Amino acid sequence: MTPDQDLRAAAVHYLRQWEARDYATMRSLCTETAVVWHNDGSGDQPIDENMELLKQLAADVGTLRYDIVRQFQHGDEVLQQQVLHLTMTDGSRSDVHAAMYFRFDGGLIDRIEEYFNVVPLDASLPSPSPSPSSPSSGSPEQR
């Protein structure tokens, strides 16, 4: 395995540990000063705070699984597109579409940036509007 493959594999390994809820291994893959940034406007978060947040989030999650769509690497940086499939303890499901950036220092994750969008899968779709030819729709003057 080449050094480039090692870093790409390390990024995936980090995510697989969250699937397994192995927070100790996740933490061991990061530097002491690692930070996490999300596109929620809250700024950088120390890795240990992020681990606590992940533990809290996982309490309501029945299963979670990552699909890595693609990865790119340049030096000590890995960028990947992924979909996180979540099934909550109440049975609801959603997909989190994300781009995730990892910066490594000495083979350990030093910075994570995640740009994400949550897509609920069980949400009710709005009823279609009646078509203009539908008897209940009436003419524009009648509406």
Side-chain angles (χ1 to χ4, degrees):
M1 195 179 270
T2 69
D4 286 353
Q5 290 170 318
D6 289 345
L7 293 183
R8 290 192 306 264
V12 173
H13 183 62
Y14 176 85
L15 298 176
R16 297 289 179 234
Q17 299 317 297
W18 194 42
E19 289 175 341
R21 293 174 172 91
D22 183 351
Y23 304 102
T25 299
M26 287 177 75
R27 182 62 181 93
S28 74
L29 299 171
C30 302
T31 65
E32 287 299 314
T33 58
V35 295
V36 179
W37 177 92
H38 291 99
N39 63 314
D40 62 2
S42 63
D44 289 349
Q45 180 181 53
I47 191 70
D48 293 317
E49 284 181 24
N50 185 257
M51 290 287 146
E52 288 304 315
L53 178 63
L54 291 177
K55 288 177 189 177
Q56 291 171 14
L57 290 172
D60 294 328
V61 175
T63 61
L64 57 103
R65 179 181 51 83
Y66 279 96
D67 284 334
I68 309 304
V69 177
R70 62 181 149 198
Q71 284 184 311
F72 305 95
Q73 182 171 354
H74 180 71
D76 288 336
E77 299 174 311
V78 173
L79 179 65
Q80 66 188 30
Q81 181 183 0
Q82 63 200 27
V83 179
L84 172 59
H85 305 281
L86 296 169
T87 302
M88 307 309 283
T89 54
D90 68 2
S92 63
R93 299 176 310 124
S94 59
D95 284 347
V96 180
H97 296 260
M100 200 163 193
Y101 163 85
F102 295 87
R103 182 181 68 210
F104 290 83
D105 183 12
L108 296 174
I109 298 167
D110 190 53
R111 181 175 184 82
I112 298 171
E113 295 181 12
E114 187 172 27
Y115 305 81
F116 64 92
N117 183 43
V118 179
V119 178
L121 299 177
D122 298 328
S124 298
L125 296 175
S127 301
S129 299
S131 67
S133 62
S134 169
S136 63
S137 65
S139 69
E141 294 81 23
Q142 293 173 329
R143 283 187 236 153

XYZ file of all heavy atoms in Angstrom, residues 48-130:
662
model
N -12.141 16.473 21.009
C -12.787 15.818 22.146
C -14.234 16.280 22.318
O -15.106 15.480 22.654
C -11.979 16.028 23.427
C -10.636 15.314 23.360
O -10.602 14.154 22.886
O -9.623 15.911 23.759
N -14.502 17.552 22.055
C -15.886 18.047 22.089
C -16.705 17.391 20.985
O -17.866 17.035 21.183
C -15.932 19.565 21.932
C -15.532 20.334 23.157
C -15.627 21.838 22.942
O -16.403 22.298 22.066
O -14.904 22.565 23.648
N -16.097 17.237 19.817
C -16.792 16.603 18.709
C -17.114 15.147 19.027
O -18.197 14.663 18.698
C -15.959 16.709 17.427
C -16.710 16.163 16.238
O -16.452 15.058 15.784
N -17.648 16.951 15.742
N -16.191 14.455 19.689
C -16.442 13.055 20.080
C -17.660 12.977 21.009
O -18.499 12.092 20.860
C -15.233 12.454 20.801
C -14.036 12.205 19.934
S -14.321 10.808 18.849
C -13.415 11.371 17.438
N -17.765 13.918 21.948
C -18.917 13.929 22.850
C -20.211 14.173 22.077
O -21.233 13.555 22.354
C -18.736 14.974 23.950
C -17.691 14.583 24.978
C -17.978 13.239 25.637
O -19.142 12.981 26.034
O -17.036 12.429 25.737
N -20.157 15.071 21.104
C -21.327 15.344 20.269
C -21.726 14.098 19.482
O -22.912 13.760 19.397
C -21.045 16.509 19.319
C -22.163 16.872 18.349
C -23.393 17.346 19.099
C -21.696 17.923 17.378
N -20.747 13.391 18.913
C -21.042 12.170 18.167
C -21.681 11.118 19.066
O -22.616 10.422 18.655
C -19.776 11.613 17.519
C -19.188 12.440 16.382
C -17.889 11.811 15.891
C -20.176 12.606 15.238
N -21.209 11.006 20.290
C -21.802 10.056 21.240
C -23.261 10.416 21.512
O -24.128 9.542 21.557
C -21.022 10.047 22.556
C -19.672 9.393 22.460
C -18.934 9.503 23.787
C -17.497 9.059 23.659
N -16.748 9.236 24.913
N -23.539 11.710 21.702
C -24.915 12.153 21.954
C -25.807 11.871 20.747
O -26.938 11.404 20.892
C -24.941 13.634 22.298
C -24.320 13.966 23.631
C -24.172 15.476 23.837
O -24.746 16.273 23.112
N -23.393 15.850 24.838
N -25.294 12.173 19.553
C -26.074 11.923 18.337
C -26.362 10.436 18.166
O -27.461 10.053 17.774
C -25.321 12.448 17.111
C -25.208 13.956 16.966
C -24.275 14.311 15.822
C -26.576 14.576 16.753
N -25.387 9.610 18.464
C -25.528 8.168 18.276
C -26.579 7.564 19.197
O -27.112 6.489 18.910
C -24.186 7.478 18.473
N -26.908 8.234 20.284
C -27.901 7.710 21.217
C -29.267 7.532 20.553
O -30.037 6.655 20.933
C -28.022 8.626 22.432
N -29.566 8.355 19.548
C -30.847 8.276 18.847
C -30.759 7.523 17.524
O -31.729 7.480 16.780
C -31.384 9.690 18.574
C -31.740 10.420 19.854
O -32.164 9.749 20.823
O -31.592 11.654 19.892
N -29.583 6.974 17.234
C -29.358 6.304 15.959
C -29.358 4.793 16.160
O -28.614 4.274 16.989
C -28.014 6.746 15.334
C -27.714 5.962 14.068
C -28.023 8.241 15.033
N -30.215 4.105 15.391
C -30.218 2.652 15.424
C -29.046 2.103 14.617
O -28.240 1.334 15.118
N -28.952 2.518 13.349
C -27.836 2.101 12.497
C -27.340 3.284 11.686
O -28.100 4.201 11.360
C -28.248 0.979 11.515
O -29.289 1.458 10.660
C -28.710 -0.265 12.244
N -26.065 3.250 11.384
C -25.477 4.244 10.492
C -24.448 3.548 9.620
O -23.761 2.636 10.051
C -24.863 5.414 11.255
C -23.793 5.156 12.296
C -22.423 5.504 11.743
C -24.084 6.021 13.505
N -24.416 3.981 8.367
C -23.496 3.369 7.415
C -23.057 4.421 6.398
O -23.877 5.158 5.866
C -24.195 2.212 6.694
C -23.337 1.519 5.646
C -24.089 0.394 4.953
N -25.393 0.769 4.433
C -25.606 1.368 3.261
N -24.585 1.712 2.490
N -26.826 1.633 2.863
N -21.763 4.466 6.162
C -21.196 5.387 5.184
C -21.003 4.692 3.855
O -20.528 3.556 3.801
C -19.816 5.881 5.642
C -19.855 6.996 6.647
C -19.763 6.732 8.000
C -19.965 8.320 6.237
C -19.776 7.758 8.933
C -19.983 9.349 7.159
C -19.892 9.061 8.499
O -19.909 10.083 9.412
N -21.348 5.383 2.780
C -20.946 5.001 1.433
C -20.016 6.086 0.945
O -20.412 7.266 0.887
C -22.143 4.906 0.484
C -22.976 3.656 0.697
O -22.427 2.648 1.185
O -24.185 3.688 0.369
N -18.787 5.719 0.636
C -17.826 6.675 0.099
C -18.023 6.707 -1.408
O -17.871 5.692 -2.091
C -16.367 6.273 0.451
C -16.226 5.988 1.958
C -15.399 7.344 -0.029
C -16.639 7.104 2.885
N -18.377 7.861 -1.933
C -18.656 8.011 -3.356
C -17.359 8.166 -4.136
O -17.158 7.528 -5.168
C -19.609 9.205 -3.600
C -19.849 9.423 -5.081
C -20.918 8.995 -2.848
N -16.466 9.020 -3.637
C -15.146 9.196 -4.272
C -14.206 9.892 -3.313
O -14.638 10.540 -2.360
C -15.256 9.951 -5.577
C -15.780 11.340 -5.440
C -15.888 12.024 -6.781
N -17.005 12.957 -6.734
C -17.586 13.458 -7.782
N -17.168 13.135 -8.970
N -18.580 14.282 -7.653
N -12.928 9.728 -3.575
C -11.883 10.345 -2.753
C -10.824 10.960 -3.652
O -10.542 10.439 -4.734
C -11.163 9.309 -1.889
C -11.895 8.830 -0.688
C -11.014 7.889 0.129
O -10.415 6.965 -0.418
N -10.945 8.129 1.411
N -10.234 12.036 -3.152
C -9.107 12.685 -3.804
C -8.050 12.939 -2.742
O -8.388 13.216 -1.594
C -9.519 14.034 -4.409
C -10.675 13.932 -5.366
C -11.969 14.151 -4.926
C -10.466 13.610 -6.694
C -13.053 14.056 -5.793
C -11.535 13.513 -7.577
C -12.832 13.737 -7.119
N -6.812 12.859 -3.132
C -5.745 13.154 -2.181
C -4.699 14.035 -2.841
O -4.358 13.858 -4.008
C -5.075 11.872 -1.681
C -3.997 12.200 -0.664
C -3.451 10.971 0.009
O -3.926 9.872 -0.188
N -2.431 11.167 0.816
N -4.215 14.974 -2.043
C -3.104 15.828 -2.445
C -2.233 15.998 -1.207
O -2.667 16.615 -0.219
C -3.597 17.182 -2.956
C -2.500 18.088 -3.386
N -1.757 17.865 -4.523
C -2.002 19.207 -2.823
C -0.841 18.817 -4.632
N -0.976 19.646 -3.606
N -1.039 15.425 -1.233
C -0.149 15.510 -0.079
C -0.788 14.906 1.154
O -1.235 13.765 1.123
N -0.855 15.698 2.228
C -1.421 15.238 3.497
C -2.903 15.571 3.639
O -3.423 15.665 4.749
C -0.646 15.856 4.673
C 0.734 15.257 4.823
O 0.944 14.114 4.367
O 1.602 15.917 5.403
N -3.581 15.779 2.517
C -4.996 16.136 2.553
C -5.818 15.126 1.751
O -5.402 14.699 0.677
C -5.201 17.529 1.960
C -4.464 18.619 2.708
C -4.559 19.953 2.011
O -4.307 20.014 0.788
O -4.895 20.931 2.696
N -6.979 14.770 2.305
C -7.918 13.871 1.630
C -9.264 14.579 1.588
O -9.719 15.126 2.595
C -8.041 12.523 2.383
C -9.142 11.654 1.770
C -6.718 11.779 2.393
N -9.875 14.563 0.425
C -11.215 15.110 0.254
C -12.086 13.977 -0.265
O -11.684 13.265 -1.188
C -11.202 16.265 -0.747
C -12.549 16.919 -1.048
C -13.117 17.601 0.186
C -12.418 17.906 -2.190
N -13.227 13.805 0.351
C -14.103 12.740 -0.139
C -15.546 13.183 -0.140
O -15.961 14.018 0.660
C -13.920 11.459 0.663
C -14.339 11.520 2.102
C -13.926 10.258 2.839
O -12.938 9.612 2.517
N -14.705 9.889 3.833
N -16.283 12.595 -1.059
C -17.725 12.766 -1.133
C -18.318 11.490 -0.551
O -17.842 10.382 -0.833
C -18.158 12.949 -2.572
C -19.635 13.164 -2.752
C -20.008 13.269 -4.226
O -19.164 13.177 -5.113
N -21.285 13.451 -4.488
N -19.356 11.632 0.267
C -19.911 10.468 0.944
C -21.390 10.668 1.220
O -21.898 11.788 1.174
C -19.178 10.230 2.268
C -19.360 11.389 3.229
C -18.306 11.452 4.316
O -17.196 10.992 4.141
N -18.683 12.019 5.446
N -22.050 9.554 1.522
C -23.435 9.578 1.963
C -23.502 8.749 3.239
O -23.061 7.594 3.262
C -24.405 9.007 0.913
C -25.846 9.037 1.433
C -24.287 9.758 -0.402
N -24.007 9.352 4.297
C -24.215 8.654 5.557
C -25.692 8.278 5.625
O -26.566 9.139 5.583
C -23.847 9.554 6.739
C -24.186 9.043 8.138
C -23.505 7.711 8.425
C -23.813 10.075 9.178
N -25.962 6.974 5.697
C -27.327 6.469 5.781
C -27.649 6.234 7.251
O -26.959 5.475 7.925
C -27.464 5.161 5.002
C -27.034 5.268 3.577
N -27.826 5.824 2.590
C -25.876 4.908 2.975
C -27.181 5.781 1.441
N -25.995 5.233 1.645
N -28.682 6.907 7.745
C -29.074 6.809 9.154
C -30.459 6.198 9.295
O -31.384 6.569 8.565
C -29.114 8.197 9.788
C -27.813 8.976 9.877
C -28.087 10.416 10.273
C -26.896 8.312 10.876
N -30.581 5.287 10.231
C -31.888 4.807 10.677
C -31.950 5.117 12.162
O -31.109 4.653 12.940
C -32.062 3.298 10.433
O -31.885 3.036 9.045
C -33.451 2.843 10.871
N -32.910 5.931 12.542
C -33.032 6.360 13.925
C -33.734 5.280 14.747
O -34.349 4.373 14.197
C -33.800 7.682 13.993
C -33.217 8.773 13.091
S -31.439 9.042 13.278
C -31.439 9.962 14.794
N -33.644 5.394 16.062
C -34.277 4.411 16.939
C -35.796 4.407 16.789
O -36.436 3.403 17.066
C -33.885 4.649 18.409
O -34.180 6.002 18.757
C -32.411 4.368 18.639
N -36.379 5.512 16.311
C -37.832 5.560 16.090
C -38.224 5.004 14.718
O -39.392 5.021 14.339
C -38.368 6.980 16.271
C -37.897 7.949 15.196
O -37.171 7.547 14.248
O -38.242 9.147 15.297
N -37.240 4.531 13.948
C -37.501 3.944 12.637
C -37.389 4.910 11.475
O -37.367 4.487 10.324
N -37.335 6.212 11.737
C -37.197 7.174 10.647
C -35.808 7.041 10.022
O -34.856 6.610 10.671
C -37.454 8.595 11.136
O -36.486 8.971 12.092
N -35.738 7.419 8.756
C -34.476 7.292 8.033
C -34.126 8.606 7.348
O -35.011 9.358 6.955
C -34.565 6.191 6.970
C -34.846 4.818 7.529
C -35.019 3.741 6.455
N -35.953 4.145 5.420
C -35.666 4.187 4.115
N -34.483 3.846 3.674
N -36.574 4.573 3.241
N -32.836 8.835 7.198
C -32.372 9.985 6.435
C -30.993 9.680 5.887
O -30.300 8.790 6.365
C -32.363 11.263 7.278
O -31.532 11.107 8.398
N -30.630 10.427 4.863
C -29.297 10.361 4.283
C -28.635 11.712 4.487
O -29.282 12.752 4.325
C -29.347 10.065 2.782
C -29.660 8.617 2.469
O -29.600 7.771 3.394
O -29.964 8.324 1.297
N -27.373 11.678 4.845
C -26.590 12.901 4.983
C -25.582 12.903 3.840
O -24.664 12.081 3.810
C -25.869 12.970 6.347
C -25.059 14.251 6.451
C -26.868 12.841 7.491
N -25.797 13.789 2.889
C -24.884 13.939 1.755
C -23.810 14.924 2.181
O -24.131 16.013 2.674
C -25.631 14.457 0.527
C -26.658 13.494 0.038
N -26.422 12.658 -1.024
C -27.912 13.195 0.488
C -27.482 11.902 -1.224
N -28.403 12.206 -0.317
N -22.551 14.539 2.005
C -21.479 15.382 2.538
C -20.224 15.322 1.688
O -19.959 14.341 0.992
C -21.136 14.950 3.972
N -19.469 16.393 1.798
C -18.078 16.433 1.354
C -17.265 16.605 2.629
O -17.590 17.449 3.477
C -17.831 17.595 0.402
N -16.257 15.776 2.796
C -15.480 15.797 4.030
C -14.006 15.932 3.674
O -13.496 15.232 2.803
C -15.737 14.513 4.814
C -15.391 14.584 6.259
S -16.206 13.196 7.101
C -15.989 13.687 8.782
N -13.366 16.845 4.364
C -11.952 17.138 4.162
C -11.193 16.680 5.406
O -11.617 16.959 6.527
C -11.771 18.642 3.954
C -10.368 19.154 4.138
C -9.449 19.121 3.082
C -9.953 19.680 5.353
C -8.165 19.599 3.252
C -8.664 20.164 5.525
C -7.774 20.120 4.473
O -6.502 20.591 4.638
N -10.097 15.958 5.200
C -9.217 15.529 6.282
C -7.822 16.076 6.001
O -7.301 15.903 4.898
C -9.089 13.999 6.337
C -10.354 13.280 6.676
C -11.257 12.922 5.680
C -10.635 12.927 7.986
C -12.416 12.226 5.990
C -11.792 12.233 8.300
C -12.682 11.890 7.298
N -7.214 16.703 6.994
C -5.801 17.089 6.901
C -5.056 16.239 7.921
O -5.482 16.113 9.074
C -5.590 18.569 7.204
C -4.108 18.982 7.045
C -3.897 20.429 7.372
N -4.116 20.645 8.804
C -4.564 21.778 9.338
N -4.839 22.814 8.575
N -4.750 21.889 10.628
N -3.958 15.665 7.486
C -3.170 14.775 8.331
C -1.856 15.433 8.730
O -1.296 16.235 7.968
C -2.866 13.465 7.586
C -4.073 12.596 7.401
C -4.958 12.812 6.354
C -4.341 11.561 8.280
C -6.073 12.017 6.184
C -5.459 10.755 8.123
C -6.326 10.987 7.069
N -1.378 15.085 9.897
C -0.076 15.513 10.390
C 0.582 14.280 11.004
O 0.063 13.741 11.991
C -0.233 16.620 11.428
C 1.094 17.157 11.941
O 2.151 16.839 11.352
O 1.078 17.890 12.947
N 1.671 13.830 10.402
C 2.346 12.641 10.908
C 1.484 11.391 10.831
O 1.598 10.514 11.684
N 0.607 11.319 9.849
C -0.255 10.160 9.678
C -1.515 10.182 10.519
O -2.340 9.273 10.434
N -1.687 11.222 11.351
C -2.881 11.357 12.183
C -3.746 12.504 11.670
O -3.232 13.492 11.122
C -2.499 11.620 13.646
C -1.730 10.504 14.350
C -1.293 10.966 15.741
C -2.566 9.233 14.438
N -5.033 12.399 11.882
C -5.965 13.451 11.464
C -5.757 14.670 12.361
O -5.799 14.564 13.580
C -7.418 12.956 11.558
C -7.630 11.782 10.618
C -8.393 14.094 11.268
C -8.929 11.024 10.859
N -5.532 15.819 11.723
C -5.307 17.063 12.461
C -6.458 18.056 12.271
O -6.658 18.942 13.085
C -3.988 17.701 12.008
C -3.586 18.858 12.893
O -3.519 18.675 14.125
O -3.339 19.949 12.333
N -7.193 17.897 11.182
C -8.323 18.794 10.911
C -9.338 18.046 10.070
O -8.976 17.339 9.134
C -7.865 20.052 10.180
C -8.996 21.029 9.901
C -8.509 22.336 9.286
N -9.612 23.257 9.126
C -10.122 24.044 10.069
N -9.604 24.042 11.280
N -11.126 24.850 9.825
N -10.605 18.229 10.425
C -11.716 17.694 9.655
C -12.647 18.854 9.341
O -12.949 19.665 10.218
C -12.486 16.611 10.446
C -11.587 15.418 10.765
C -13.731 16.173 9.681
C -12.222 14.412 11.719
N -13.084 18.931 8.088
C -14.113 19.897 7.689
C -15.207 19.106 7.006
O -14.930 18.258 6.167
C -13.550 20.951 6.744
C -12.502 21.827 7.383
C -11.948 22.893 6.442
O -12.531 23.116 5.361
O -10.923 23.492 6.800
N -16.455 19.383 7.398
C -17.565 18.645 6.817
C -18.643 19.606 6.347
O -19.151 20.414 7.122
C -18.151 17.656 7.826
C -19.183 16.755 7.213
C -19.632 15.648 8.144
O -19.566 15.809 9.374
O -20.074 14.615 7.629
N -18.959 19.493 5.075
C -20.012 20.265 4.444
C -21.138 19.272 4.181
O -20.950 18.311 3.447
C -19.533 20.856 3.120
C -18.280 21.673 3.253
C -17.017 21.072 3.311
C -18.349 23.058 3.322
C -15.863 21.833 3.436
C -17.197 23.824 3.444
C -15.965 23.202 3.503
O -14.832 23.959 3.622
N -22.315 19.478 4.797
C -23.335 18.442 4.686
C -24.732 18.996 4.494
O -25.011 20.155 4.792
C -23.306 17.523 5.906
C -23.651 18.217 7.203
C -24.958 18.251 7.658
C -22.664 18.824 7.959
C -25.272 18.884 8.848
C -22.970 19.454 9.148
C -24.281 19.494 9.602
N -25.613 18.105 4.007
C -27.021 18.386 3.827
C -27.788 17.122 4.196
O -27.485 16.043 3.690
C -27.311 18.774 2.369
C -28.754 19.134 2.152
O -29.369 19.830 2.956
N -29.324 18.650 1.058
N -28.772 17.244 5.080
C -29.565 16.104 5.529
C -30.809 15.993 4.656
O -31.510 16.984 4.438
C -29.975 16.256 7.009
C -30.834 15.076 7.455
C -28.744 16.404 7.889
N -31.069 14.773 4.172
C -32.235 14.514 3.348
C -33.097 13.461 4.046
O -32.723 12.288 4.089
C -31.821 13.998 1.946
C -33.050 13.690 1.101
C -30.895 14.987 1.261
N -34.242 13.868 4.640
C -35.128 12.877 5.265
C -35.706 11.959 4.189
O -36.116 12.422 3.129
C -36.232 13.706 5.912
C -35.758 15.125 5.867
C -34.728 15.222 4.787
N -35.742 10.667 4.452
C -36.255 9.717 3.462
C -37.700 9.336 3.705
O -38.372 8.841 2.814
C -35.393 8.447 3.455
C -33.933 8.665 3.095
C -33.179 7.355 3.184
C -33.802 9.267 1.713
N -38.208 9.564 4.899
C -39.554 9.145 5.249
C -40.550 10.289 5.265
O -41.703 10.083 5.635
C -39.554 8.477 6.627
C -38.693 7.226 6.632
O -38.620 6.560 5.591
O -38.095 6.940 7.675
N -40.124 11.477 4.872
C -41.034 12.621 4.926
C -42.172 12.431 3.930
O -41.981 11.915 2.839
C -40.275 13.908 4.607
N -43.339 12.853 4.325
C -44.491 12.776 3.427
C -44.307 13.772 2.300
O -43.881 14.900 2.524
C -45.773 13.114 4.187
O -45.990 12.187 5.206
N -44.647 13.329 1.124
C -44.580 14.221 -0.024
C -45.883 14.998 -0.112
O -46.955 14.450 0.200
C -44.361 13.416 -1.305
C -43.040 12.653 -1.374
C -43.013 11.810 -2.645
C -41.872 13.611 -1.357
N -45.817 16.255 -0.523
C -47.062 17.016 -0.655
C -47.954 16.389 -1.729
O -47.472 15.819 -2.688
C -46.599 18.410 -1.057
C -45.192 18.262 -1.496
C -44.653 17.004 -0.892
N -49.247 16.505 -1.526
C -50.196 15.989 -2.516
C -50.063 16.794 -3.786
O -49.892 18.020 -3.737
C -51.625 16.106 -1.991
O -51.757 15.381 -0.798
N -50.179 16.122 -4.921
C -50.100 16.877 -6.177
C -51.295 17.810 -6.308
O -52.395 17.498 -5.846
C -50.105 15.797 -7.261
C -50.561 14.541 -6.598
C -50.348 14.703 -5.124
N -51.087 18.952 -6.929
C -52.185 19.896 -7.177
C -53.105 19.295 -8.211
O -52.656 18.579 -9.106
C -51.639 21.222 -7.702
O -50.776 21.787 -6.753
N -54.401 19.586 -8.109
C -55.314 19.065 -9.139
C -54.927 19.622 -10.502
O -54.479 20.764 -10.611
C -56.687 19.564 -8.718
C -56.526 20.232 -7.392
C -55.065 20.373 -7.118
